[in-house]
């Protein structure tokens, strides 16, 4: 906004709209519903203003009031906005040129995937010329605990959520006889991912191939997606080069989605 004196200011033209959007953004970053006073304190807003705005948002379905807990959380209308975001596929649109550029730089096939239950779902696949055909393709699902993309995202989830996804041995699908078969083994793998900043798989999806992946974190620090490259064991690609460029690409995509 330009003030009367002709200088730039940060004062919003519509304060109520600005405050409303700040409240919704704050709620979206929380792990669960929060008290109104916590919202007011965090945003530096008068409590009366926050209560009035929350009441209006509740009538429109953007927030819900958990009366017994005296807390406020996002409502179904906010969820519908998220669904509209997903339908427009901005993640794939933003990620496709980055994944394509990564394939050009590495000379190997690259992909972008998201979590879907215990699986990963591939949104973008860029095949490098002259490279072997891979099982990954747009729309394909693979077990998250076996793939580099899945491990990259699982490593960023709370331990309780990982445990809920893999409650027993029957949860661990197998493709090549390799890979974790119980939660304790998966946890060791995820600790290594957090230590090194990238995830790997070596023959767990397809024998003779290996992959490296890095997580794309959203604004709340949750795994929105993962970027990966896959190459044959006898290829000349150096693991350290692949890891560095995959990490770099994931970081660029995270910034583009507001992470």
């Amino acid at each position: 906004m330009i003030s009367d004196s002709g200088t730039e200011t940060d004062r919003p033209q519509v304060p109520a709209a600005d405050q409303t959007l700040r409240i919704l953004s704050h709620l979206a970053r929380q792990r669960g519903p929060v008290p109104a006073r916590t919202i007011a304190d965090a945003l530096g807003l008068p409590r009366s203003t926050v209560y009035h705005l929350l009441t209006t948002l509740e009538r429109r379905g953007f927030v819900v009031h958990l009366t017994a807990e005296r807390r406020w959380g996002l409502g179904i209308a906010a969820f519908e906005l998220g669904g509209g975001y997903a339908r427009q596929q901005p993640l794939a649109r933003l990620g496709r040129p980055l994944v394509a550029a990564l394939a050009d730089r590495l000379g190997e096939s690259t992909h972008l995937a998201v979590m879907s239950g215990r699986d990963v779902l591939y949104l973008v696949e860029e095949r490098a010329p002259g490279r072997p055909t891979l099982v990954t393709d747009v729309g394909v699902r693979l077990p998250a605990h076996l793939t580099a993309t899945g491990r990259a995202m699982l490593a960023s989830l709370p331990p309780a959520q990982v445990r809920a996804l893999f409650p027993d041995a029957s949860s661990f699908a197998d493709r090549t006889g390799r890979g974790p078969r119980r939660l304790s083994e998966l946890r060791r793998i995820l600790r290594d991912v957090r230590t090194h900043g990238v995830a790997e798989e070596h023959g767990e999806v397809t024998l003779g191939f290996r992959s490296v992946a890095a997580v794309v974190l959203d604004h709340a620090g949750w795994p929105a997606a993962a970027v990966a490259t896959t190459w044959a064991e006898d290829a000349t690609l150096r693991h350290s080069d692949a890891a560095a460029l995959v990490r770099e690409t994931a970081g660029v995509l995270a910034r583009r989605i507001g992470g």
Side-chain angles (χ1 to χ4, degrees), residues 134-193:
L134 304 175
V135 296
T136 54
D137 205 349
V138 175
V140 168
R141 293 172 180 266
L142 289 173
H145 67 286
L146 296 179
T147 66
T149 50
R151 291 171 181 180
M153 290 183 280
L154 288 171
S156 296
L157 292 177
Q161 190 163 347
V162 175
R163 185 170 61 249
L165 287 172
F166 299 93
D168 51 46
S170 66
S171 308
F172 292 87
D174 176 61
R175 285 180 58 89
T176 65
R178 302 182 181 183
R181 300 190 179 187
R182 55 181 60 89
L183 184 58
S184 59
E185 296 174 357
L186 177 59
R187 282 173 171 163
R188 284 195 293 272
I189 291 172
L190 300 185
R191 280 198 297 269
D192 287 341
V193 174

Side-chain angles (χ1 to χ4, degrees), residues 16 19-20 23 45 48-58:
Q19 293 164 353
T20 300
I23 289 173
L45 297 174
S48 59
T49 298
V50 170
Y51 280 112
H52 287 314
L53 293 175
L54 285 172
T55 301
T56 301
L57 287 168
E58 183 184 24

Side-chain angles (χ1 to χ4, degrees), residues 197-250:
V198 292
E200 304 176 32
E201 67 88 9
H202 195 170
E204 285 99 327
V205 175
T206 303
L207 291 174
F209 288 87
R210 62 189 306 179
S211 302
V212 63
V215 68
V216 177
L217 297 175
D218 67 11
H219 66 282
W222 284 77
V227 174
T229 185
T230 299
W231 69 98
E233 290 179 347
D234 57 0
T236 58
L237 178 63
R238 288 180 12 180
H239 177 274
S240 58
D241 293 338
L245 290 177
V246 163
R247 234 183 353 246
E248 177 186 313
T249 302

Side-chain angles (χ1 to χ4, degrees), residues 84-132:
Y85 176 90
R87 285 192 297 274
Q88 294 176 22
Q89 295 186 313
L91 187 60
R93 290 173 183 265
L94 291 171
R96 185 169 291 108
L98 297 176
V99 172
L102 178 64
D104 289 341
R105 295 173 72 182
L106 291 173
E108 299 290 348
S109 297
T110 56
H111 22 266
L112 176 72
V114 296
M115 286 291 296
S116 179
R118 282 197 293 267
D119 295 336
V120 293
L121 172 66
Y122 290 88
L123 300 183
V124 177
E125 181 75 18
E126 287 293 334
R127 297 290 170 84
R131 291 298 182 259

